[in-house]
Amino acid sequence: MEGATLVKPLLLDLYCKAGGATKGYQDAGFYVVGVDIEDQPNYCGDEFYCADALEVLGARKVAHWLIEDFRVIHASPPCQRFAEAGADRKLGEEHPDLLTPTRELLKQIGLPYVIENIPTAPMPDGFLLCGSTFGLPIIRHRRFEVHPAMG
């Protein structure tokens, strides 16, 4: 994109994996730049960078983009830390809390953001949505935290 002028607003998609939220943001008119710590050869966004999301937020830069270039940031930190434990595994200790440091860095940066996670994630200001609410053929609940708060 060097030397090109974008007419779409930029959205940074952290912990993007293959791009579960990406297509919706693209349909809404965003140019989506995805970041994940694991290579994602099937990422459906406009650009992908293999990097640590917390390092990107700390450096305030991903590849040739500065954080200030983005209009909004979406983050879906891994949720295992807050998942309800099954009978065969312990909860928490074996998985790091990536939600809390992600939220703190996003607040410091000051851009609008959306954090998406599982219903049991500690997101007291978040709200719960289900895929079936939007006509999707899946009953899958997710908690969303939006900043600045809507409503």
Side-chain angles (χ1 to χ4, degrees), residues 79-86 89-92 95 117-118 120-122:
C79 58
Q80 295 93 336
R81 173 74 176 221
F82 307 110
E84 294 175 351
R89 69 179 182 106
K90 291 186 283 183
L91 180 63
H95 299 286
N117 218 287
I118 59 174
T120 54

Side-chain angles (χ1 to χ4, degrees), residues 11-16 21 25 53 57 72-78 98-99 102-103 106 113-117 123 143-145:
L11 182 138
L12 180 58
D13 185 7
L14 299 173
Y15 309 97
C16 67
Y25 285 122
L57 290 174
V72 65
I73 300 173
H74 174 96
S76 298
L98 296 174
L99 173 63
T102 298
R103 178 189 293 120
L106 289 170
Y113 68 79
V114 176
I115 299 175
E116 176 265 331
N117 218 287
M123 299 167 65
R143 187 165 300 283
F144 292 84
E145 179 177 309

